[in-house]
Amino acid sequence: MKNVLQRLLDAEHKAQEIVDSAKKERDRLIDEARDEVKRAEQRFQVRVPEIHSSFTDKAKERAQTQINELERRYQERQARLIDISEQYQQQAIDDVLGLILNAEKN
């Protein structure tokens, strides 16, 4: 009986050592994970200005593209309006002269 109790105590002691070892390993893994998270956060913080700059540059590029497109459309419309006004310019001059001459006759 004494031998059985001793084996049980030894087994309990060994089990406690295994549990303690597992807790230490768990704590070590948690510490490593925390350290890795800190390093990842630091790397991210270092990259924030670069990321911000990249988004800003892309936004400026898209804005400039839109501005260029609007300017192109404006120039096209301006050219069309000039063409239209040139087409009707002579008719407008004739109409105005007609009104002036008719006004003088009356």
Side-chain angles (χ1 to χ4, degrees):
M1 180 76 160
K2 197 174 193 182
N3 192 17
V4 171
L5 289 176
Q6 185 60 44
R7 284 191 328 198
L8 285 173
L9 284 173
D10 290 343
E12 182 181 358
H13 181 64
K14 186 167 182 139
Q16 187 61 46
E17 287 176 356
I18 293 171
V19 168
D20 291 342
S21 175
K23 284 181 181 179
K24 286 180 185 177
E25 180 65 15
R26 177 200 65 197
D27 291 342
R28 184 187 67 76
L29 291 172
I30 289 172
D31 289 341
E32 283 180 9
R34 285 183 181 147
D35 290 342
E36 180 57 33
V37 167
K38 285 180 186 176
R39 287 190 298 273
E41 286 176 344
Q42 289 170 346
R43 287 190 304 268
F44 177 74
Q45 289 302 323
V46 167
R47 289 201 59 223
V48 165
E50 175 189 336
I51 293 168
H52 183 265
S53 176
S54 173
F55 281 117
T56 302
D57 291 346
K58 287 179 184 176
K60 286 179 182 177
E61 184 179 318
R62 286 190 302 268
Q64 188 60 50
T65 300
Q66 289 296 319
I67 290 168
N68 293 342
E69 178 64 19
L70 289 172
E71 286 177 352
R72 183 188 63 77
R73 288 181 189 173
Y74 172 78
Q75 290 171 356
E76 286 176 356
R77 287 183 184 139
Q78 183 181 19
R80 278 192 305 227
L81 289 173
I82 290 171
D83 288 345
I84 291 170
S85 69
E86 287 173 352
Q87 288 174 3
Y88 292 103
Q89 181 178 8
Q90 189 58 47
Q91 181 181 348
I93 291 171
D94 293 343
D95 290 346
V96 169
L97 284 175
L99 289 173
I100 292 173
L101 292 174
N102 284 336
E104 287 178 358
K105 290 180 182 178
N106 291 331

